[in-house]
Amino acid sequence: MKVLCTGTSGFFGTAFCEYLHKKYEIVGVDWRPPKEKFSGVRYYRANILHLNGLRKIFEKEHPDRVIHFAAQSHIEKSFSDPIGTYRINVIGTINLLEVAKEMNLQQFIYISSDIVYGKADKYPCKETQSLKPCNLYAASKAACDILVQNFPGIKWAIARPSMSFGPRGNPQEQVVAKFLWNVIHDKPLRFPADRDIIHPTRDINYIGNIIHGLELMIEKDAYGIYNLGSGKETSILELAEKIIEVTGKGEIIFDPNYHYRSEEVGMRTWLDITKAKDELGYQPRINLEEGLKITYDWMCKHLNYWDPLHKRM
């Protein structure tokens, strides 16, 4: 089976190649060169905004399936560059859908996000719930989600993973990686000083669990939408406490000068994973504590992975 995977220089794409490069013939597409390469993966440096360039790769490789990770995924950047975010996330996805339709592929898997649910009416969130994105990045992901479902001539499936973490997580982009980075470098974990505040929650899932869920979607030739979460809700404060417990290091400081972003106040994410369990046989195999330990050990051994980030933080 040949799988064309976009975003192979990113967190998800790199993990997909690492876990499954021995099982599938993987064709990797990204505009950035990969920090790591895996044997058997053929890497193409290409921009998903360039339709003709994509066509040439598809016509040369003739993949059976596409798994689409590539995205502008920085929430803050979506505020400063909403047009760029829209172009990469929405137009890039349309280009891939167009080529996939021309090639009559067996399956097009779009990697959405739990962020599309926004502040939901009911928890845990089922796949049938309305999408209520509450920032520009989330809106772009929700737009792609709807596009994929309605694009004619596509055999589609959508994965909505929860907040992920694991080796290679960027401390400037991911909460778990940021907390672990601070602990490793003897910096405190800061929270608002208001003890009565309701801390945001997340469904936090180790990257290996999510990749296994995607593997099942491929193997089962899945159609439809699947939540790939842990099925558990954890507050950001509880996460910090678990990190200190797992690592045996760090401290929490309640800082009167620290405040959550406005969109984070009252924010919850918690996914119902019943459908993925029943239809795919999905079950998170690595729990939060185990995943934190694996990630902490990896970060301790790869302190220079994000240089020159080390010099800036």
Side-chain angles (χ1 to χ4, degrees):
M1 185 186 299
K2 185 183 291 188
V3 180
L4 187 143
C5 175
T6 69
T8 42
S9 296
F11 176 65
F12 271 93
T14 302
F16 184 86
C17 292
E18 178 188 26
Y19 278 83
L20 297 174
H21 71 280
K22 295 181 179 178
K23 184 169 186 176
Y24 303 132
E25 186 177 354
I26 299 176
V27 177
V29 174
D30 203 307
W31 69 272
R32 299 173 299 173
K35 288 177 73 73
E36 296 178 59
K37 289 186 175 182
F38 299 92
S39 62
V41 180
R42 287 191 297 284
Y43 293 92
Y44 288 84
R45 195 166 179 185
N47 192 326
I48 60 174
L49 293 176
H50 299 160
L51 181 59
N52 287 335
L54 286 175
R55 278 200 181 102
K56 289 179 181 178
I57 296 171
F58 274 73
E59 288 170 357
K60 179 180 179 180
E61 293 289 349
H62 292 281
D64 302 302
R65 302 164 192 265
V66 166
I67 184 160
H68 178 29
F69 293 110
Q72 192 302 96
S73 58
H74 303 182
I75 293 177
E76 295 299 331
K77 189 173 182 180
S78 73
F79 295 133
S80 63
D81 186 15
I83 293 176
T85 298
Y86 177 91
R87 289 181 72 241
I88 293 169
N89 293 358
V90 180
I91 302 302
T93 299
I94 290 174
N95 285 343
L96 284 159
L97 288 165
E98 187 65 33
V99 180
K101 177 183 177 182
E102 293 170 2
M103 300 291 291
N104 193 29
L105 300 189
Q106 294 179 25
Q107 188 183 45
F108 185 103
I109 300 178
Y110 174 65
I111 310 304
S112 184
S113 169
D114 63 354
I115 200 171
V116 300
Y117 292 115
K119 295 181 179 178
D121 296 325
K122 184 178 180 181
Y123 294 92
C125 295
K126 292 181 177 291
E127 292 86 350
T128 52
Q129 289 183 207
S130 300
L131 306 187
K132 296 182 178 180
C134 56
N135 60 53
L136 293 173
Y137 164 65
S140 73
K141 295 296 285 185
C144 293
D145 203 305
I146 295 168
L147 273 168
V148 171
Q149 295 178 58
N150 290 278
F151 205 88
I154 293 293
K155 302 168 186 176
W156 60 268
I158 294 173
R160 291 180 183 156
S162 61
M163 189 178 87
S164 59
F165 74 99
R168 306 182 191 87
N170 190 333
Q172 286 192 327
E173 300 172 8
Q174 298 182 5
V175 174
V176 173
K178 179 181 178 180
F179 281 179
L180 288 171
W181 182 278
N182 285 354
V183 165
I184 289 169
H185 294 90
D186 299 317
K187 295 182 178 181
L189 308 183
R190 298 184 182 277
F191 286 84
D194 182 359
R195 299 301 182 103
D196 295 324
I197 195 170
I198 298 175
H199 296 278
T201 69
R202 297 290 186 271
D203 183 318
I204 308 169
N205 201 9
Y206 183 68
I207 184 65
N209 296 329
I210 297 170
I211 299 303
H212 178 58
L214 296 174
E215 179 186 8
L216 290 169
M217 289 178 70
I218 293 171
E219 296 300 312
K220 300 282 187 178
D221 201 24
Y223 171 82
I225 304 168
Y226 295 90
N227 287 336
L228 299 181
S230 69
K232 298 179 180 179
E233 183 179 28
T234 303
S235 78
I236 298 300
L237 180 58
E238 289 172 333
L239 169 63
E241 292 169 342
K242 285 184 182 294
I243 285 175
I244 290 172
E245 178 184 339
V246 166
T247 64
K249 294 183 62 179
E251 65 172 329
I252 294 170
I253 290 181
F254 295 95
D255 184 349
N257 296 315
Y258 180 87
H259 304 281
Y260 290 125
R261 294 196 306 262
S262 58
E263 69 270 17
E264 289 183 321
V265 177
M267 186 67 184
R268 300 173 64 189
T269 62
W270 179 18
L271 297 183
D272 186 321
I273 58 175
T274 303
K275 181 181 178 183
K277 285 183 175 181
D278 291 348
E279 296 186 11
L280 303 177
Y282 168 75
Q283 178 67 50
R285 299 184 291 187
I286 297 177
N287 64 28
L288 179 57
E289 291 79 6
E290 292 173 302
L292 289 173
K293 181 66 166 60
I294 293 168
T295 307
Y296 174 70
D297 290 344
W298 185 92
M299 291 181 74
C300 287
K301 294 174 183 176
H302 299 81
L303 292 177
N304 295 324
Y305 190 82
W306 290 108
D307 271 353
L309 180 64
H310 183 274
K311 299 178 179 64
R312 296 201 300 265
M313 292 187 69

